[in-house]
Amino acid sequence: RVMDRLQALAREHSSRTIVVVTHSEIIRSLVLFVLGASPNRYDRLTIDPASITRLSLGGDTLRIDSLNEHLA
């Protein structure tokens, strides 16, 4: 469902930068999906509250640009 919604947002806002705010559990699941990693690896990935994870969506390809960033 998350990928479907991200693809819909990308179509609605093509060539624009958008911000999506969600819970860390959703972000971790999405990152594992993008990496092609097993859901069993869920506990090995940390996404802190209020951190920033940047993704780029081009067509059907989702890329991780940064993971778990913290503002200074």
Side-chain angles (χ1 to χ4, degrees):
R1 292 187 324 197
V2 174
M3 277 302 297
D4 289 342
R5 185 63 189 137
L6 287 177
Q7 288 171 332
L9 285 169
R11 283 190 303 273
E12 294 168 20
H13 305 283
S14 63
S15 303
R16 300 181 85 178
T17 299
I18 61 172
V19 174
V20 177
V21 179
T22 190
H23 297 281
S24 62
E25 293 82 5
I26 301 298
I27 298 168
R28 284 199 290 182
S29 296
L30 184 59
V31 167
L32 289 172
F33 175 79
V34 171
L35 294 174
S38 167
N40 295 334
R41 301 285 188 188
Y42 186 84
D43 291 343
R44 294 180 177 217
L45 182 61
T46 299
I47 301 293
D48 295 322
S51 66
I52 298 170
T53 295
R54 299 171 198 261
L55 306 171
S56 297
L57 182 60
D60 289 335
T61 303
L62 191 58
R63 182 182 75 220
I64 301 167
D65 296 326
S66 68
L67 188 65
N68 202 40
E69 286 184 83
H70 295 270
L71 298 177

